[in-house]
Amino acid sequence: MAERKINIAVAGAGLMGRLLAWRLSEKGHQVTLFESGSLEKPAGACHAAAGMISPLSELFHCPLPIYQLGMQSLQYWPYWAKQLEQATGTKVDYREKGSILIAHPQDRSELLQFQQELNAKLGSDNRDQLQWLDNNALRDLEPELDRFDQGLYLASEADIDNRKLLPALLKALKQYEIEIRENTPVDCGSETIQTENGNEYFDLVIDTRGLGAKNQINGLRGVRGEVMVVETPEVQLNRPVRLLHPRYQLYAVPRANNQTVIGATEIESEDRSPISLRSTMELSSALYSIHPAFAEARVIETRVNCRPATMDNLPVVESEPGLIRINGLFRHGYLLAPALVAQAESEISKFIQTTEQVT
Ligand SMILES: Cc1cc2nc3c(=O)[nH]c(=O)nc-3n(C[C@H](O)[C@H](O)[C@H](O)COP(=O)(O)OP(=O)(O)OC[C@H]3O[C@@H](n4cnc5c(N)ncnc54)[C@H](O)[C@@H]3O)c2cc1C
């Protein structure tokens, strides 16, 4: 039997809010989306991000559930990206070319440590997910990395251009003619959205306000992240590349038009002021050490925002009657969002069944 359609409010049109509103509209629910800022230039972390979908790279620093949810998300992303592109005629540049880890010869131990740690965490069944690259194999995949004689290839990783995805989601939402209210800061309660003009009532409220829900999620904090976008035709990478270094970790994510997103700092602070000189220097010099031609790249943008993180850096999907809160996506929003949408959909189904039994 088809599931009953309900009237749902989604608070926060960042990554999680947009993706969820789109999927719920697809299922036929009536969705209203509230956003405190502008929809064209979202104020949330989603706009600053690099868009990497890297379950294996993240596993080095994170517990197993992040990897498991990330692998689940990788099942959804290709279909959703295709569906969005077809529906909106907008490219989102979802790329399934894996990612590469490199280290300078003197830092070879960093690569070995990464490999050992992942093998330990993944167990013997999954060891083929990491491929050691010698000089030739590395050059076959990334000819420009000819200064490096070894690397690791994580073939299952992917990435998406978030600066294309977010507007595409908005376009898809508009096609459903859902009600979208920007410049409308809200508070969330059970079945209730509170705006400065009073309360509005729904069958269900879903709170995806990221750091905007700080007072409602125990221990939620912001973790500052800074990235730079540089442009040069001189260096052509084919996929995200991570430089492992004892002090300066760097990723370089190639984008269209000879642009590369490089990042990211991770600072325990909720300061969203512009990028610091120190971060600029550290990111730039780490990039330059990958390929000297980056020296002439033009810095076309710097981005700063705060990742919404819980005390254990794991995401939360909390349900109470008439209210679901999804938060704490931390540095893994693009990695985790589809898997969390699936969790939310299952909570919504339970909610619908419970309310059917009551009525
Ligand atoms: C520099 C940087 C790089 C990153 N790189 C990656 C990456 O490569 N891969 C990856 O997976 N993740 C990455 N992330 C993390 C990712 O961006 C976040 O995990 C993700 O954006 C969180 O999504 P969200 O929707 O929960 O929150 P947000 O994206 O922060 O969105 C929350 C939305 O709620 C709105 N809002 C807030 N308060 C209210 C209110 N009161 N009423 C209405 N609306 C409200 C905000 O304006 C915002 O639009 C990165 C983050 C940063 C900062």
Side-chain angles (χ1 to χ4, degrees):
M1 201 171 67
E3 194 169 77
R4 185 163 61 90
K5 304 305 171 208
I6 59 171
N7 192 1
I8 301 176
V10 176
L15 168 65
M16 196 63 217
R18 282 176 202 223
L19 203 56
L20 193 56
W22 177 53
R23 296 316 301 168
L24 295 177
S25 304
E26 280 270 317
K27 289 197 152 185
H29 296 293
Q30 189 181 334
V31 178
T32 307
L33 180 61
F34 295 88
E35 166 58 39
S36 57
S38 133
L39 289 163
E40 299 305 328
K41 201 170 174 229
C46 55
H47 198 58
M52 284 180 299
I53 304 166
S54 321
L56 289 159
S57 303
E58 291 299 316
L59 184 57
F60 186 64
H61 307 279
C62 298
L64 206 55
I66 299 290
Y67 162 78
Q68 289 162 334
L69 288 167
M71 292 306 283
Q72 211 181 316
S73 290
L74 279 171
Q75 308 291 313
Y76 293 96
W77 271 126
Y79 298 103
W80 289 2
K82 201 169 174 188
Q83 195 180 340
L84 256 184
E85 288 187 340
Q86 282 170 351
T88 62
T90 310
K91 287 238 157 265
V92 297
D93 290 358
Y94 177 74
R95 177 170 48 197
E96 280 178 325
K97 282 195 174 179
S99 60
I100 284 184
L101 274 62
I102 47 173
H104 294 294
Q106 65 273 24
D107 303 325
R108 187 169 190 264
S109 60
E110 298 285 321
L111 276 178
L112 291 169
Q113 197 191 336
F114 183 97
Q115 189 186 34
Q116 275 166 14
E117 175 129 3
L118 254 67
N119 282 341
K121 284 183 171 172
L122 289 169
S124 54
D125 289 350
N126 290 309
R127 280 189 190 162
D128 56 355
Q129 292 208 67
L130 275 77
Q131 292 170 40
W132 189 267
L133 301 173
D134 63 14
N135 187 282
N136 288 337
L138 181 58
R139 273 189 209 190
D140 283 348
L141 286 169
E142 293 291 349
E144 305 271 11
L145 297 180
D146 53 2
R147 281 157 195 78
F148 293 84
D149 57 6
Q150 60 217 337
L152 278 170
Y153 181 42
L154 313 180
S156 57
E157 297 200 332
D159 65 283
I160 194 160
D161 188 338
N162 52 317
R163 290 291 179 91
K164 294 186 174 170
L165 173 74
L166 295 167
L169 283 168
L170 187 58
K171 204 168 169 185
L173 289 172
K174 287 179 176 165
Q175 287 174 351
Y176 279 105
E177 297 183 356
I178 79 160
E179 193 175 338
I180 307 179
R181 307 240 210 108
E182 62 183 322
N183 303 314
T184 309
V186 301
D187 263 325
C188 299
S190 170
E191 299 177 6
T192 314
I193 285 282
Q194 295 138 23
T195 71
E196 59 178 18
N197 298 321
N199 288 353
E200 295 183 33
Y201 299 98
F202 298 85
D203 295 324
L204 177 68
V205 168
I206 308 184
D207 184 352
T208 58
R209 289 175 296 158
L211 268 189
K214 199 172 169 196
N215 296 336
Q216 276 75 48
I217 306 272
N218 198 13
L220 194 72
R221 71 191 202 285
V223 180
R224 176 177 162 98
E226 300 155 308
V227 301
M228 296 166 68
V229 185
V230 301
E231 185 178 304
T232 175
E234 301 293 325
V235 189
Q236 300 291 333
L237 298 173
N238 299 311
R239 55 181 61 72
V241 171
R242 288 177 193 255
L243 176 69
L244 302 185
H245 184 277
R247 269 174 298 163
Y248 312 125
Q249 304 279 333
L250 174 93
Y251 57 69
V253 185
R255 292 280 171 237
N257 305 324
N258 298 320
Q259 294 181 5
T260 307
V261 180
I262 63 168
T265 58
E266 194 173 312
I267 302 165
E268 286 292 338
S269 159
E270 293 188 2
D271 173 8
R272 294 185 212 207
S273 64
I275 191 168
S276 68
L277 184 71
R278 178 184 177 152
S279 300
T280 313
M281 289 192 312
E282 287 178 0
L283 292 172
S284 309
S285 51
L287 183 69
Y288 175 65
S289 79
I290 290 183
H291 199 298
F294 274 120
E296 282 305 313
R298 300 297 183 252
V299 178
I300 57 169
E301 189 191 354
T302 59
R303 307 175 183 169
V304 179
N305 216 305
C306 293
R307 310 164 177 101
T310 57
M311 294 314 281
D312 58 7
N313 294 335
L314 288 170
V316 286
V317 179
E318 289 175 359
S319 276
E320 57 183 90
L323 178 64
I324 299 174
R325 297 188 196 279
I326 308 173
N327 216 311
L329 277 68
F330 187 37
R331 47 184 283 163
H332 314 117
Y334 292 85
L335 178 64
L336 303 182
L340 298 182
V341 166
Q343 281 188 20
E345 284 176 342
S346 129
E347 291 299 316
I348 293 166
S349 295
K350 278 190 230 157
F351 170 79
I352 292 173
Q353 280 164 19
T354 315
T355 49
E356 266 165 4
Q357 281 159 12
V358 172
T359 48

